[in-house]
Structures are given as C-alpha cells and as structure tokens.
Amino acid sequence: MADEQVAAPSKQRRITQRGIATRERILEAANRLMSVRGVTATTLDDVREASQTSKSQLYHHFADKQELVRALVKYRGALVLQRERGGLERLRSFSGLVRWRNALVQANSLNNGKYGCGLGSMAVELSDHDEQARSMLSETFAAWEKLISDGLHRMRDSGALRKDADPEKLATGLMAALQGGYLLANAAHNVAPMEVALDMALEHIKSFLVESSGEPTR
Amino acid sequence: MADEQVAAPSKQRRITQRGIATRERILEAANRLMSVRGVTATTLDDVREASQTSKSQLYHHFADKQELVRALVKYRGALVLQRERGGLERLRSFSGLVRWRNALVQANSLNNGKYGCGLGSMAVELSDHDEQARSMLSETFAAWEKLISDGLHRMRDSGALRKDADPEKLATGLMAALQGGYLLANAAHNVAPMEVALDMALEHIKSFLVESSGEPTR
C-alpha cells in the first residue's frame, strides 16, 4: 500500500507515476483475462494474480469488480477507437474501406474467429446489468460509427458517393455487419462468415459509388 | 427424488412423464434466468429456486451446470428454429422477407432492444469455453441460415431473384445483419440500429430482384 500513498510533496510525482503504472498493469491483466474468459467468469482474485498486485493495491485502484469492469469498458473503448482512427481517419475512397475490412478480417483470422470484438462481447455481457457500462459502450459504438460516417461524408462531398447515400445509416449497417460477422465467426471458430458479412455491406455501399468518380463500381 | 425413480414397470409411464415435466420446468426456468442475467452469472441454485425443484431433482436431470447449459443450447435452438420455420418455410417473395423482418423488429422493440438474441448471446458467452456448446450453436445458426437460403433458392428458381444471386452468401450476410443488429440494439437499449441493419441487408437482396418478376425493385 505504501507505494501508492502520497508521503510528501517532493515524492508526489514519482509515486503517482508508480500508481498509474500499477493501475495500467491491472487493467491490462483484466483485459487479457476477460477477453478469453468473459467478464462475468473472471474474478478479482484472477486479476490480482495475473497482474501480480496485492489485494490492497488492487482495492486502492478499484473499489469493487463493477468499478474495474467500468474502467475496462473505457480502456477497451480507447484502444479500439485509437486503432480505428488509424484506419478510418483518412478514409476518402472505397478502396480505403476495403483496406480497413482486410485488416479486421486478417486480425480475426489469426484467432480463427475466436474472442470476437472486445466491445461487442462486453455489450452482450453487460448491457442488461450495468446501465453505466451500457451507456459507455453505446457511446463508444457511436464514436466508432462516426469515424466511418465521417469518411463516407468525405466521399460524398468529393463526389465519389452519390448524394442520396446516407452516411449515418450506412455506417450503422456496416457496424452491424462487422459485429454480426464477429459473432458468427466466433460461433464457427472460422473467420469466413465475417468476410461474407463485411463484403455484403461493402457491396451495398459500392452501389452508391458514382461511376465517373474513378472508383471501381463493379 | 422418489417421484423421478422407476419403482415398478406398471408405474413407469406416469413417472417418466412426470420426470419429463420436471426437466422441462427446469429448462424453462434456466432459459428465463439466463436470458436476463446471462449464462455465467446464473447459478444452479438460482435455477433450482426459480423452477421450484429440489436439489436431488435438479441433479437427477443435470449432473452439473455444463450439462444444463448444453441442454439449454439445444432447447433454445429448437425454440428459435420452430419460430423461424413459421416465418421462413413458405418464403417465396421479397415481401415475405419484409414480413419476417417486421416480426423480428416488433418483438425486439417490445423489449427496447434488451436481451438480444438468445442464441447470439450464448454464442458470445460460450464459444471460447465449451466446444460442444459452440458446435451445437454453430449448427443451429447453419440450420437457421438454411431456412433463409432455401427461401432465396425458391425465389431464384421461380425467377424472382436473378441467377447470379448467391442464396448461401446472402443468407449468411442477412444473419450477420440480424445478429449485429440485435447486439447494437442491446447496447443502445433501442431497436433502431437493428432496423437499419436489417434494412441494409434487405436492400442488398432487393438489388438481385428481377424487375419483370412483379416484385417491387424500388
């Protein structure tokens, strides 16, 4: 416990940084365990053991499991959005969407479809039991969809997408295809249904491409 | 325990029927509890209490939680497939697909998106932990998709769908849209994203309709 407490102002920065590192270590361990076993099946004792922290360290950072789970929702949301910003923030073409699709499919195929999406599986486990977690997850999905719809807006503004394309609805449909694809790939332990799901959504978006824009409409 | 055991051949039928009724009561209670709380968060004691059975009755039918959960996978699969056969077995037109979509959306909107799909949520909770459950769930999704693809085959055979439509891929894509729609609706506690997801998949299927077939292609 001593290493987490603030003893004197001169030591504050060092000690606080150590506290931050401990908190991060706990969240990393919780993320790893809960990805594989699920949120409900993972106990605080499992997390303590995996993160090599003491009981007092763990409870210093997270009063109970609910607090840890909510922190993990935030942690995973930040990780996913950071990854997705990398793929979507400069999206301006259909081929950019295909590259984004390929990266997600490739990552999932490395696991043979196992584990699904860290946010989607939390949404299934938590949405009906923890209103605060559900609300954070819902906001994260909205932010993720906005990265997609912003890209589709750029494509529509540049004349690549027809004016009657609805970026918000297309983004929601694409996100549903992605999440449903993760779920079916998880049940099949095979990435194939995720590919089919994403390709169907992309085919639909393709049908809104302007032929003269230089994008491949076939 | 006495009411579950076979005392004499003359009593066998009556006693077995009582045993079947007890088993059914346990599965119904497990289904109800696990739909709301999730599989992992529900204990055998919860199920015993909700089904008003004794410990010995419960263990007579299910040796442990895993056995009960696997029986529930089968039970839910049979319920969903029975419901879906009703909506899909005579499917021969696009308007039939729209009616199917409307019934699913209506049922989900009554719960404001809560609980999602009983099979989808089990797939998320179980696929990485119970290979037998995963395999049963995967087969159930395949049977469900086949109800859809059989209908699309009938539409293609009758000339309503173009010959280049791929019923199997369209069925997988529609199932992913449905499952992703359930998941996003659950996170939003609002049926809207499920509607958007299904409509996008149906729009894609619509693009394969033959204009002269009398189906509305716009």
Side-chain angles (χ1 to χ4, degrees), chain B residues 67-86:
Chain B
E67 211 177 292
L68 173 63
V69 167
R70 288 173 179 175
L72 182 62
V73 170
K74 213 171 152 183
Y75 178 87
R76 270 195 199 166
L79 280 182
V80 168
L81 289 178
Q82 189 184 24
R83 181 194 75 200
E84 292 298 290
R85 261 183 229 113

Side-chain angles (χ1 to χ4, degrees), chain A residues 67-81:
Chain A
E67 210 176 292
L68 173 62
V69 168
R70 287 174 180 175
L72 182 61
V73 170
K74 213 171 152 181
Y75 177 89
R76 271 196 198 165
L79 281 181
V80 169
L81 289 178

Side-chain angles (χ1 to χ4, degrees), chain A residues 40 58 130 134 168 186 218:
Chain A
T40 316
L58 186 64
D130 183 338
R134 184 200 66 72
E168 280 68 32
N186 193 5
R218 290 277 145 191

Side-chain angles (χ1 to χ4, degrees), chain A residues 170-218:
Chain A
L170 292 175
T172 298
L174 184 53
M175 180 57 65
L178 174 61
Q179 292 299 326
Y182 270 125
L183 190 151
L184 295 180
N186 193 5
H189 275 188
N190 184 328
V191 76
M194 181 182 172
E195 292 193 86
V196 173
L198 284 171
D199 287 345
M200 179 158 149
L202 289 187
E203 275 298 311
H204 182 65
I205 293 175
K206 205 177 192 175
S207 73
F208 287 95
L209 287 179
V210 173
E211 301 236 3
S212 61
S213 70
E215 293 270 3
T217 53
R218 290 277 145 191

Side-chain angles (χ1 to χ4, degrees), chain B residues 42-200:
Chain B
T42 304
T43 67
L44 280 187
D45 267 348
D46 297 335
V47 173
R48 192 182 46 69
E49 215 176 276
S51 62
Q52 301 188 42
T53 44
S54 66
K55 241 180 187 153
S56 62
Q57 280 178 312
L58 185 65
Y59 286 107
H60 175 76
H61 289 287
F62 305 101
D64 52 24
K65 184 170 170 186
Q66 187 175 62
E67 211 177 292
L68 173 63
V69 167
R70 288 173 179 175
L72 182 62
V73 170
K74 213 171 152 183
Y75 178 87
R76 270 195 199 166
L79 280 182
V80 168
L81 289 178
Q82 189 184 24
R83 181 194 75 200
E84 292 298 290
R85 261 183 229 113
L88 293 169
E89 229 167 28
R90 281 183 303 272
L91 176 73
R92 342 191 129 263
S93 67
F94 187 74
S95 50
L97 265 182
V98 172
R99 281 194 297 273
W100 169 80
R101 169 254 186 236
N102 288 348
L104 290 170
V105 166
Q106 188 192 46
N108 195 248
S109 76
L110 290 176
N111 295 325
N112 292 318
K114 277 186 194 169
Y115 315 132
C117 168
L119 293 177
S121 56
M122 279 192 132
V124 169
E125 276 205 79
L126 300 172
S127 290
D128 299 325
H129 315 292
D130 183 338
E131 178 56 23
Q132 195 178 315
R134 184 200 66 71
S135 158
M136 284 192 290
L137 285 162
S138 183
E139 281 166 27
T140 310
F141 280 124
W144 192 354
E145 285 175 33
K146 189 165 184 302
L147 288 172
I148 300 173
S149 63
D150 281 353
L152 297 175
H153 271 292
R154 285 190 292 274
M155 287 170 66
R156 204 176 66 173
D157 292 346
S158 72
L161 271 188
R162 291 205 317 261
K163 295 292 169 205
D164 63 328
D166 182 329
E168 280 68 32
K169 284 195 174 168
L170 291 175
T172 299
L174 184 53
M175 181 56 64
L178 174 61
Q179 292 299 325
Y182 271 125
L183 190 150
L184 294 180
N186 194 4
H189 274 188
N190 184 328
V191 77
M194 181 181 172
E195 291 193 86
V196 173
L198 284 172
D199 286 345
M200 180 157 148

